[in-house]
Amino acid sequence: MTKLLLSLHVLASILAVGPVTVAASMFPRYARPPAPGGAGAGDHDLRTAAFLHKICRVYAMVGIAVPVLGFATGAQMGVLGDAWLLVSIVLTAVAAALLMAMVLPGQRELLEEEGEGPVAERRAAAGRLAMTTGIFNLLWATVVVLMIVRPGSTTGA
């Protein structure tokens, strides 16, 4: 049962978290309005940005399976109290909160405010969103490393 749960957990991570991290990373590029004078106009594509936002929203919901399967796997393995897993749980919660509280609303705001306000402010908002998305992705990368290395774990590598 442990191998099945672990396989489902890893599969859910790849299929749910992967698309969110990629789509969220690509979003600011397509949502950022062109600079005055037309620099960067080739990347500005709101249809693509809207599609990337939809991917993020849908896969964020599918991504709920990752911690659910992770808890089930951890319980089956008897490692729920291990430090590496507790840190991973906290980082996962922070990443989820960042996605729900900052990344998705930031994407929505950039899509809704198209054509409103100074271009410089909207470009700056896209830059902040790119930075926030980078932090989100770094949190997930850290969780992946912890899942593989498992420092102090007695269950394997």
Side-chain angles (χ1 to χ4, degrees):
M1 184 62 143
T2 301
K3 290 181 181 181
L4 174 64
L5 287 171
L6 183 57
S7 296
L8 291 174
H9 173 62
V10 171
L11 190 60
S13 299
I14 292 167
L15 296 177
V17 178
V20 173
T21 58
V22 172
S25 295
M26 293 173 62
F27 179 89
R29 176 181 183 179
Y30 292 102
R32 180 179 291 124
D43 290 339
H44 185 68
D45 181 355
L46 287 182
R47 289 179 59 203
T48 300
F51 180 67
L52 293 169
H53 176 61
K54 184 175 183 177
I55 289 171
C56 290
R57 281 193 341 259
V58 170
Y59 281 93
M61 294 310 203
V62 174
I64 293 170
V66 176
V68 169
L69 290 165
F71 274 112
T73 304
Q76 186 74 26
M77 294 173 68
V79 295
L80 286 179
D82 288 7
W84 63 271
L85 187 59
L86 295 173
V87 171
S88 295
I89 290 168
V90 169
L91 293 177
T92 297
V94 171
L98 194 61
L99 178 66
M100 300 309 282
M102 297 185 77
V103 174
L104 293 176
Q107 290 177 346
R108 188 172 34 255
E109 287 175 19
L110 279 171
L111 289 172
E112 290 173 354
E113 294 176 0
E114 179 58 27
E116 298 176 13
V119 170
E121 284 181 24
R122 288 185 286 129
R123 288 182 60 80
R128 285 189 302 276
L129 180 61
M131 179 192 65
T132 303
T133 300
I135 293 168
F136 169 77
N137 292 343
L138 184 60
L139 288 167
W140 277 118
T142 304
V143 170
V144 168
V145 170
L146 285 171
M147 291 289 139
I148 294 168
V149 176
R150 301 183 303 186
S153 171
T154 60
T155 60

